[in-house]
Amino acid sequence: SIAMIAEGCIMARVCHMNTCPVGVATQKVELRKKFPGTPEHVANFMLFLAEEVRTIIAALGYRSIAEVIGRNDLLRPRSNSSVRTNVPQPAVATGAVNKKNAPKRLAKASHADLSKFHAESPPDEELRASWVGVARNGNAHQNAPAMDDDILAMPDVMDLLQKNDGI
């Protein structure tokens, strides 16, 4: 995940082997000493991410993320030549790579029809506003209660969580 990378993970893909080269996912003391990350790294990344989201939303002419949630009429498929010009782009996005090293097109993705995600006109604002920002205090899933809900409702688990003294 991006939060792990912000914390110092190099995606070596050996998490399950207890041999993480930077000490992120290990119980070995000698490897854990190498760990460079702090919670502040993740918090700082999230602040920068939020600032970029605010900048993009403002560039689109909106004041908050609540105004764009559910607005699939704002989505447009990216053409092969489209590049965001307001942020630095890697060579692949700008077309500055030579043709031998051009990005590969995935066969499965080339047949995906995403047209249902795009809309020509804005959704009914009253309907959209009826569910944007609504607090969700019910089940975690719409189809049935989750097992987590049952476990968290157990009196001994609730007591343990409230005492917060471990097992």
Side-chain angles (χ1 to χ4, degrees):
S1 109
I2 195 72
M4 291 293 293
I5 292 171
E7 196 172 39
C9 176
I10 61 169
M11 302 295 287
R13 300 184 188 272
V14 293
C15 306
H16 63 291
M17 299 172 72
N18 202 24
T19 58
C20 177
V22 290
V24 175
T26 186
Q27 295 301 313
K28 292 183 179 178
V29 176
E30 65 274 6
L31 292 175
R32 290 177 75 186
K33 288 179 183 174
K34 295 180 180 181
F35 180 55
T38 64
E40 289 78 17
H41 290 151
V42 177
N44 196 33
F45 170 76
M46 294 299 174
L47 288 172
F48 279 114
L49 179 65
E51 184 61 30
E52 185 172 359
V53 168
R54 281 189 214 95
T55 302
I56 292 168
I57 289 173
L60 291 171
Y62 297 96
R63 292 178 304 218
S64 72
I65 199 161
E67 292 181 26
V68 295
I69 291 175
R71 294 288 309 272
N72 61 339
D73 60 304
L74 301 175
L75 299 175
R76 294 288 174 265
R78 187 182 304 179
S79 69
N80 289 340
S81 62
S82 67
V83 174
R84 286 175 48 194
T85 56
N86 60 340
V87 292
Q89 295 294 311
V92 171
T94 59
V97 292
N98 63 30
K99 295 300 177 189
K100 282 190 225 176
N101 297 331
K104 295 179 182 176
R105 301 257 179 235
L106 300 175
K108 290 180 182 179
S110 66
H111 299 294
D113 178 17
L114 302 177
S115 62
K116 299 291 183 198
F117 289 103
H118 309 123
E120 295 301 318
S121 59
D124 176 41
E125 185 58 27
E126 188 174 316
L127 177 64
R128 188 190 74 80
S130 70
W131 58 267
V132 171
V134 174
R136 291 174 178 59
N137 296 323
N139 294 330
H141 305 283
Q142 295 296 327
N143 54 352
M147 186 181 232
D148 293 354
D149 298 331
D150 295 336
I151 292 171
L152 292 171
M154 294 177 179
D156 53 337
V157 174
M158 280 175 114
D159 186 47
L160 181 69
L161 290 173
Q162 288 176 351
K163 287 182 183 175
N164 196 21
D165 60 0
I167 294 178

